[in-house]
Amino acid sequence: MTGEAEIWYTRIEGQNDGGKKLAENVGKKHDFSQASLAAITTNLITAGLGTGILSLPWATAGASLLPSMLMTAAVMALNGATVMIIIRAGERWKAFDLGALLGNLPGRCSPAAQAFCNTLTWVSVFLCLVGYVVVITDALESLLTANFAGSATRAILLTVSAMCVLPVCFLDQRHLTYSSSLSIAINVYIFIVVAALIAQEGTAPGICMAGAGTGLVTLFSTLMQCGILQMCVLPMYEELKGRNIRRFQRAVIIAFSFLTLLFCAFSGLAYLKYGPGVSSNVLNDFPNDTMGNMARIGMAIVVLAVYPIILKSMTAPIHHWEERHYSGPLWRAQSSTVIIVALSAVCASFAGRLGTVQALNGALQVSAFIAVAPGLTGLFLLGRRGPLWRGTMLGLVVLGAVASALGLVYTSNDVDSVAERCVWQA
């Protein structure tokens, strides 16, 4: 039995059979599934490279260029800070999924916060997974259309997409680093494609460098869709080799710094290339040539890599519950993975416009993962009682609630609004 398994064992009241099973399962897991700091950093970056980045140029068009750069930096810094609040509390309470952590809140606050965040995790993460299946299916469809006379029906392509995703969902953080590294390289390639198109064809007219409008709210929600990883980080932290807060903080700083630079560069260049009329899925604006088709197929590979990382935030509570109560194969958690993948493929057939769906999802996520989870965690689970700290955490809750409410109302990029209030047009 490993040292960590012994700690778990002694913390189970009465050291009963259930506690022994949990200790043995945790020990086995950490013997074989630990991931290096580089692997965790790579997976953190990849978790932010889902479909959200495809809608950032569209959201930037409604916010103007310079304000969108400033907001990107602010939103990513906010997400990095709230991630570390959750990690510090998770280490202190030895809770490695968000629901389990919130279960330590005092009094009636605990079940309400736990139910709210668990529900929002499942809803928002599931919407992300649906979007990923849509992107994979669209890429397969464009590939078939470009290279074959006939094309498969949408239902067949959705099924193939789900079958491609499923095997990857059973990999641990250590093995996901390979697909994550490929995902990062593909995103850099897509950025290079946009830069090359600008070099060949120039920029679009009507670019607003600085302005104001309701599109700023949509940009905030879309950035949150990209940057909110709070529901994923505790399962990652649990698998970190030589686990400690300082090591994981290093990964967070590197990952969020990289994502900030990539988001600013990609959304800015794509907006300059396609102008106010940029699509909510910028890949739809790419040329139908080899370079454009490679970008679409590449993004399908990206979301194939992101899918299992995001999925783990849904299955981690089931996995931990099963560890506590059963020994042997964790078939319940494995079955839930299969069911979720199948349902995401079914629901993908009803998905609407990508940008609007992602703005709505980002607004929903803010209420749970910026306001409730880190705010209440900081207030009650870190042992800090100073007035400045408490005021900051209460401000976080209020900010998240207000931003979420506004995000549910303003879901369009509203480019006409920012055009009317543009103070600096290129």
Side-chain angles (χ1 to χ4, degrees):
M1 190 180 296
T2 65
E4 182 169 346
E6 291 173 2
I7 293 172
W8 273 93
Y9 181 78
T10 56
R11 290 189 178 188
I12 301 298
E13 187 176 353
Q15 297 188 0
N16 54 21
D17 291 340
K20 187 174 181 180
K21 290 174 183 176
L22 172 59
E24 290 173 352
N25 283 339
V26 172
K28 290 176 183 177
K29 179 176 180 179
H30 284 272
D31 283 340
F32 299 106
S33 302
Q34 289 188 320
S36 68
L37 180 65
I40 293 296
T41 304
T42 303
N43 291 344
L44 276 170
I45 293 172
T46 302
L49 296 178
T51 55
I53 192 173
L54 301 179
S55 297
L56 279 181
W58 169 82
T60 297
S64 72
L65 188 61
L66 295 181
S68 71
M69 302 296 105
L70 295 174
M71 183 171 285
T72 299
V75 166
M76 299 308 287
L78 177 61
N79 275 290
T82 53
V83 160
M84 289 312 303
I85 290 173
I86 289 170
I87 291 298
R88 291 179 188 278
E91 175 61 32
R92 187 180 187 206
W93 293 88
K94 293 296 181 287
F96 300 111
D97 67 73
L98 198 54
L101 176 62
L102 296 176
N104 294 296
L105 290 171
R108 296 181 180 178
C109 183
S110 173
Q114 196 173 13
F116 178 72
C117 286
N118 280 343
T119 301
L120 262 294
T121 295
W122 277 69
V123 171
S124 62
V125 170
F126 186 73
L127 287 175
C128 290
L129 300 181
V130 170
Y132 298 161
V133 174
V134 169
V135 170
I136 296 172
T137 303
D138 287 346
L140 292 174
E141 194 168 34
S142 66
L143 182 65
L144 288 174
T145 302
N147 295 282
F148 300 96
S151 61
T153 64
R154 187 77 173 176
I156 293 174
L157 293 177
L158 288 167
T159 303
V160 172
S161 299
M163 292 175 65
C164 292
V165 163
L166 187 59
V168 190
C169 293
F170 294 101
L171 299 177
D172 56 36
Q173 297 291 339
R174 180 181 51 171
H175 292 99
L176 286 172
T177 186
Y178 302 111
S179 57
S180 293
S181 299
L182 180 60
S183 172
I184 294 169
I186 291 169
N187 273 273
V188 172
Y189 167 76
I190 293 173
F191 166 77
I192 292 172
V193 169
V194 176
L197 289 171
I198 289 179
Q200 294 172 6
E201 303 170 4
T203 60
I207 301 296
C208 181
M209 300 296 292
T214 58
L216 284 167
V217 178
T218 304
L219 174 64
F220 181 86
S221 298
T222 305
L223 283 166
M224 284 298 180
Q225 163 73 8
C226 298
I228 284 181
L229 309 178
Q230 286 81 341
M231 62 286 196
C232 308
V233 293
L234 285 172
M236 287 187 182
Y237 180 65
E238 184 182 18
E239 294 188 30
L240 175 62
K241 186 176 183 180
R243 188 180 72 219
N244 67 63
I245 292 172
R246 184 165 295 183
R247 279 172 61 80
F248 195 83
Q249 186 176 38
R250 195 183 313 161
V252 168
I253 291 172
I254 295 171
F256 278 88
S257 297
F258 179 87
L259 288 172
T260 301
L261 292 174
L262 180 63
F263 290 164
C264 286
F266 178 74
S267 61
L269 283 179
Y271 172 48
L272 289 172
K273 174 65 184 77
Y274 296 110
V278 62
S279 171
S280 65
N281 179 351
V282 72
L283 292 181
N284 293 336
D285 295 328
F286 277 30
N288 291 316
D289 55 14
T290 301
M291 187 169 59
N293 288 330
M294 284 181 62
R296 294 184 183 94
I297 298 301
M299 184 51 66
I301 297 172
V302 168
V303 299
L304 191 67
V306 177
Y307 194 109
I309 297 174
I310 302 299
L311 175 69
K312 285 182 184 293
S313 63
M314 297 179 73
T315 58
I318 301 171
H319 183 89
H320 291 143
W321 171 84
E322 198 168 11
E323 279 184 334
R324 288 193 296 270
H325 294 88
Y326 301 96
S327 61
L330 305 180
W331 64 267
R332 294 165 186 83
Q334 294 170 351
S335 299
S336 68
T337 297
V338 176
I339 293 170
I340 291 168
V341 170
L343 287 176
S344 67
V346 172
C347 293
S349 61
F350 303 99
R353 190 179 182 187
L354 187 62
T356 301
V357 170
Q358 297 195 136
L360 281 169
N361 197 16
L364 285 172
Q365 290 179 332
V366 168
S367 63
F369 308 123
I370 296 296
V372 173
L376 295 183
T377 295
L379 282 172
F380 297 111
L381 299 181
L382 287 180
R384 301 182 64 172
R385 294 289 182 265
L388 179 60
W389 176 259
R390 293 182 66 83
T392 301
M393 292 301 100
L394 288 171
L396 191 61
V397 173
V398 173
L399 170 67
V402 172
S404 182
L406 290 174
L408 292 174
V409 175
Y410 298 103
T411 58
S412 169
N413 66 346
D414 198 7
V415 290
D416 293 334
S417 174
V418 76
E420 293 173 1
R421 298 175 177 84
C422 187
V423 296
W424 179 16
Q425 187 164 352

